[in-house]
Amino acid sequence: MTKNQAPKRVPHEGIMWGAAGFCVLAGLAAPLFGDSATAVTVPFGGAVSILGGIAWLRRNQAA
């Protein structure tokens, strides 16, 4: 792949980006409700996991 080409999107990638965004919003909103540190950490961990999954699917699709 040349550097001018964007990686191809994987099936249902938009849903995965939406889920990752929701996780980030949940992590940002948790302190507003006085939740514990776990309530902040877990959604951010979920977002990182989803983004890692997108990267993994793109890499496997390119191979």
Side-chain angles (χ1 to χ4, degrees), residues 24-46:
V24 169
L25 288 177
L28 292 174
L32 299 175
F33 298 101
D35 288 340
S36 67
T38 303
V40 175
T41 307
V42 170
F44 285 128

Side-chain angles (χ1 to χ4, degrees), residues 7-37:
K8 292 182 79 173
R9 293 175 62 96
V10 295
H12 309 294
E13 184 176 339
I15 294 171
M16 290 184 273
W17 278 108
F22 182 78
C23 287
V24 169
L25 288 177
L28 292 174
L32 299 175
F33 298 101
D35 288 340
S36 67

